[in-house]
């Protein structure tokens, strides 16, 4: 009975929501869900997602410009989130054949779907073209494919051109994606349009999606594309939108000082070869080589002051050198539609992952290892390690053990490296078999993006929760369909 946040003092306390706490208070319900659906389960709170969408809409409405938000569904597999996106009046960014096909089936149309895949197969382009979906083109071969498919279908296709290689403060931003900004405009003018090689393509917009999290780089890229859109329009191209992609920073943590403290402690631990902070002294990217601390933290920057709408505001209100108007004002004056494709940031606070404790053991170093029915691929992002403190849902009454117990959570893969959290977690009491461990804010990438079926483990089940006012009951949770 009762639940606690791991590392209650001096940890990395995640931002949590009321719906999560209400659920933890009714752990019997969670137990019955795990009993039915297996461990781990992913729970998605749809009202939170809907509220987040509304906050983004409110933000853009204040600028009084044309805009469209496309939820980047690659960040999470659930259909319910696609359905909610349409219900909330936003679009969906698809990045594979199956994402596109399923999104169409869920009610998407040419008005609210775009296709931005990194690799576009013939079947993808064919499906998009048949349904008049705008395709973001990345290279000349894609133009060729789109041209030939459009010709076969006897129609034209709307496209956006992905641009990269922006020069920011004298430095060119490399990307493997898109047309380089130095050649893109000439390419379009020489080859796309009436009487040209790609006469079936109608360039409706310009697009970028930048790596990293610099608002300045995005602001500069947007400014560059507003200029380019203008020049292309004067040549007769019906440029209607500029799409600035996703990558909007999100904040996961309650406290900046905890985050700074953690990074300092980690560096010191690596320098001193200490194992107090992480599993077997894992440096999480830092290494101590020939007397020097090297490497960088291999993790998402979990704390951010400039996140979500503040992040977007910096991009929108940026004024490029020698220009009297902000990006937002320029977009409005030139009647350009601004588009964004947020994945992770729209999913903030929407999901949690809960797993069951299967065994406890003390290793040869005297450390407690808590084995969960879950594996490392079910809590992973491209930026590697998940670092937030989990919540522990105890079946028994919590009795403070002295000293407090320190544990690591281990996973089901036959790999020494399957340590679900590399950070040591301090708890008031050793978890018992069948107790539940909840990982917070996992809906954006963490629960799905790298999940595999190694060992033939089944993929985790995805549940949707509408969050009623009363006590959460088992029947309030439905499989995502
Ligand atoms: C991944 C991706 C997104 C979404 O990025 P987030 O970081 O989840 O916001 C949007 N657009 C493109 C082209 C992408 O590759």
């Amino acid at each position: 009975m009762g639940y606690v946040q791991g590392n209650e003092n001096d940890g990395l306390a995640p931002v949590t929501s009321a719906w999560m706490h209400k659920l933890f208070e009714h752990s019997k319900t969670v137990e019955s869900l795990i009993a039915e659906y297996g461990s781990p389960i992913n729970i998605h709170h749809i009202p939170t997602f809907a509220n987040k969408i509304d906050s983004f809409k409110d933000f853009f409405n204040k600028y009084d410009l044309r805009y469209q938000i496309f939820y980047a569904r690659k960040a999470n597999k659930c259909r319910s989130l696609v359905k909610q996106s349409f219900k909330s009046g936003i679009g969906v960014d698809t990045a594979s054949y199956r994402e596109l096909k399923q999104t169409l089936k869920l009610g998407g149309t040419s008005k609210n779907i775009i296709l931005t895949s990194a690799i576009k197969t013939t079947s993808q382009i064919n499906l998009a073209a048949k349904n008049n979906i705008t395709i973001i083109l990345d290279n000349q071969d894609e133009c060729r494919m789109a041209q030939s498919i459009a010709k076969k279908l006897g129609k034209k296709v709307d496209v956006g051109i992905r641009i990269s290689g922006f020069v920011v403060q004298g430095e060119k931003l490399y990307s493997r994606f898109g047309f380089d900004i130095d050649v893109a405009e000439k390419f379009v003018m020489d080859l796309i349009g009436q009487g040209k090689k790609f006469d079936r393509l109608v360039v409706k917009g310009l697009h970028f999606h930048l790596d990293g999290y610099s608002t300045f780089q995005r602001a500069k890229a947007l400014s560059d594309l507003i200029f380019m859109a203008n020049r292309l329009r004067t040549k007769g191209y019906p440029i209607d939108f500029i799409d600035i992609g996703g990558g909007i920073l999100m904040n996961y943590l309650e406290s900046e000082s905890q985050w700074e403290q953690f990074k300092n402690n980690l560096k010191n631990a690596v320098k001193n070869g200490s194992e107090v902070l992480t599993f077997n002294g894992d440096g999480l990217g830092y290494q101590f080589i020939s007397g020097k601390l090297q490497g960088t933290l291999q993790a998402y920057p979990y704390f951010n002051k400039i996140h979500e709408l503040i992040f977007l505001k910096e991009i929108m209100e940026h004024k490029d050198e020698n220009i009297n108007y902000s990006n937002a004002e320029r977009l409005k004056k030139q009647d350009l539609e601004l588009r964004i494709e947020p994945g992770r940031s729209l999913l903030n606070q929407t999901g949690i992952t809960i797993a069951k404790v299967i065994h406890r053991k003390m290793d040869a170093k005297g450390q407690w290892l808590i084995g969960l029915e879950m594996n490392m691929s079910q809590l992973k992002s491209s930026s590697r390690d998940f670092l937030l403190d989990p919540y522990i849902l105890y079946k028994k009454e919590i009795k403070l053990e002295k000293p407090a117990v320190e544990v690591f959570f281990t996973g089901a893969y036959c790999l020494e490296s399957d340590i679900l959290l590399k950070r040591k977690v301090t708890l008031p009491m050793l978890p018992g078999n069948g107790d539940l461990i909840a990982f917070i804010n996992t809906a954006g990438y963490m629960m799905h993006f790298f999940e595999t079926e190694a060992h033939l483990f089944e993929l985790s089940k995805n549940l949707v929760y509408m969050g009623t006012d009363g006590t959460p009951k088992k029947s309030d949770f439905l499989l995502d369909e």
Side-chain angles (χ1 to χ4, degrees):
M1 295 302 287
Y3 70 95
V4 294
Q5 178 209 307
N7 294 324
E8 226 170 351
N9 307 308
D10 305 326
L12 289 175
V15 177
T16 52
S17 292
W19 73 266
M20 300 172 189
H21 290 278
K22 196 152 153 200
L23 200 56
F24 299 160
E25 281 158 19
H26 297 93
S27 56
K28 282 269 177 286
T29 301
V30 189
E31 269 170 45
S32 65
L33 291 170
I34 296 254
E36 170 149 2
Y37 299 108
S39 171
I41 46 170
N42 299 314
I43 298 178
H44 299 82
H45 188 245
I46 304 299
T48 296
F49 182 62
N51 286 340
K52 187 57 76 182
I53 292 174
D54 287 345
S55 73
F56 274 66
K57 285 167 67 178
D58 290 347
F59 170 84
F60 285 114
N61 284 334
K62 289 206 185 91
Y63 286 101
D64 188 28
L65 47 73
R66 287 198 298 127
Y67 71 90
Q68 221 176 339
I69 300 165
F70 294 86
Y71 158 58
R73 67 163 304 186
K74 71 165 189 240
N76 186 294
K77 293 188 289 196
C78 288
R79 293 171 180 82
S80 312
L81 299 166
V82 172
K83 286 195 246 177
Q84 184 59 51
S85 298
F86 294 148
K87 232 185 251 171
S88 294
I90 65 164
V92 173
D93 165 24
T94 61
S96 72
Y97 178 80
R98 288 179 69 196
E99 280 188 10
L100 174 58
K101 191 162 165 95
Q102 194 183 69
T103 305
L104 283 162
K105 209 169 149 208
L106 292 169
T109 66
S110 61
K111 297 257 183 304
N112 54 19
I113 303 181
I114 47 167
L115 179 73
T116 63
S117 338
I119 298 288
K120 299 186 189 74
T121 56
T122 321
S123 55
Q124 265 180 63
I125 296 181
N126 200 41
L127 183 62
K130 273 190 179 149
N131 289 282
N132 305 314
I133 304 299
T134 301
I135 306 171
I136 303 297
L137 294 174
D138 171 271
N139 58 66
Q140 182 157 186
D141 274 353
E142 286 186 359
C143 293
R144 271 191 212 107
M145 285 162 76
Q147 165 76 15
S148 106
I149 288 164
K151 209 165 167 182
K152 257 185 224 144
L153 295 173
K155 64 199 305 183
K156 292 195 169 184
V157 290
D158 287 348
V159 301
I161 304 293
R162 182 160 179 172
I163 314 279
S164 63
F166 298 95
V167 176
V168 181
Q169 289 170 321
E171 203 188 317
K172 196 170 172 69
L173 306 176
Y174 171 79
S175 171
R176 78 178 177 97
F177 295 106
F179 290 85
D180 190 86
I181 189 161
D182 296 335
V183 299
E185 200 169 328
K186 185 167 177 337
F187 175 85
V188 170
M189 289 186 189
D190 287 352
L191 296 179
I192 305 183
Q194 211 61 45
K196 296 176 189 169
K197 184 172 180 185
F198 303 127
D199 59 356
R200 299 274 170 167
L201 310 184
V202 182
V203 184
K204 283 286 180 72
L206 302 173
H207 174 280
F208 67 79
H209 171 75
L210 301 185
D211 198 32
Y213 304 106
S214 161
T215 53
F216 188 79
Q217 290 177 357
R218 283 171 174 76
K220 172 64 166 48
L222 173 55
S223 169
D224 286 358
L225 291 193
I226 295 173
F227 282 124
M228 190 188 290
N230 241 347
R231 292 190 297 265
L232 285 169
R233 275 176 166 180
T234 62
K235 301 279 180 196
Y237 292 91
I239 308 292
D240 188 55
F241 69 82
I242 295 179
D243 184 337
I244 64 170
I248 297 163
L249 262 184
M250 185 175 133
N251 177 44
Y252 286 90
L253 289 174
E254 287 284 354
S255 151
E256 178 170 22
S257 62
Q258 281 192 344
W259 180 236
E260 293 306 319
Q261 188 72 45
F262 166 73
K263 288 190 289 185
N264 276 333
N265 291 348
L266 178 64
K267 286 183 210 170
N268 286 331
V270 171
K271 268 188 216 157
N272 303 326
S274 151
E275 300 189 357
V276 295
L277 213 57
T278 56
F279 188 73
N280 292 346
D282 194 312
L284 304 174
Y286 289 118
Q287 280 180 303
F288 199 57
I289 305 172
S290 36
K292 263 178 68 185
L293 188 72
Q294 302 190 10
T296 49
L297 181 64
Q298 297 288 331
Y300 189 82
Y302 284 98
F303 181 86
N304 293 291
K305 252 198 221 125
I306 309 291
H307 65 279
E308 290 183 25
L309 302 182
I310 313 169
F311 184 93
L312 277 176
K313 187 167 188 253
E314 289 200 346
I315 299 169
M316 298 301 288
E317 298 190 1
H318 170 90
K319 281 186 190 166
D320 218 351
E321 268 174 85
N322 312 319
I323 297 178
N324 292 326
Y325 299 100
S326 69
N327 281 338
E329 288 163 336
R330 289 166 67 196
L331 288 163
K332 188 179 170 191
K333 275 160 72 94
Q334 297 176 30
D335 191 31
L336 282 163
E337 179 174 283
L338 180 81
R339 295 186 170 188
I340 58 168
E341 299 158 357
R344 185 193 294 266
S345 55
L346 268 192
L347 293 164
N348 191 6
Q349 296 294 312
T350 290
I352 55 178
T353 298
I354 306 182
K356 189 166 82 174
V357 173
I358 299 295
H359 67 233
R360 301 91 39 88
K361 65 189 272 192
M362 192 173 269
D363 69 7
K365 287 181 175 177
Q367 338 184 84
W368 277 110
L369 306 182
I370 309 297
L372 302 188
E373 187 174 4
M374 176 172 171
N375 66 67
M376 62 198 284
S377 77
Q378 294 168 324
L379 189 69
K380 210 173 172 62
S381 89
S382 57
S383 53
R384 308 262 282 272
D385 282 299
F386 190 80
L387 297 177
L388 309 182
D389 288 322
Y391 274 74
I392 321 304
L393 282 54
Y394 291 100
K395 278 187 175 173
K396 286 196 187 138
E397 199 179 318
I398 300 173
K399 290 214 183 76
L400 294 187
E401 290 176 18
K402 282 218 170 106
V405 276
E406 296 179 331
V407 308
F408 290 101
F409 294 103
T410 56
Y413 282 175
C414 58
L415 298 171
E416 290 285 359
S417 59
D418 193 353
I419 308 298
L420 295 165
L421 280 187
K422 300 246 177 62
R423 292 176 53 238
K424 187 185 278 181
V425 178
T426 302
L427 297 174
M429 169 172 102
L430 191 68
N433 295 325
D435 283 352
L436 302 175
I437 313 299
F439 300 98
I440 306 296
N441 219 347
T442 55
Y445 297 101
M446 304 295 186
M447 60 171 67
H448 285 161
F449 204 71
F450 287 93
E451 191 181 14
T452 75
E453 290 179 280
H455 291 245
L456 288 187
F457 287 133
E458 284 194 44
L459 297 177
S460 51
K461 294 286 190 295
N462 293 299
L463 301 177
V464 173
Y465 174 45
M466 294 309 292
T468 47
D469 284 340
T471 306
K473 298 184 304 293
K474 182 161 169 264
S475 57
D476 296 334
F477 298 78
L478 303 174
L479 272 176
D480 173 65
E481 271 164 352

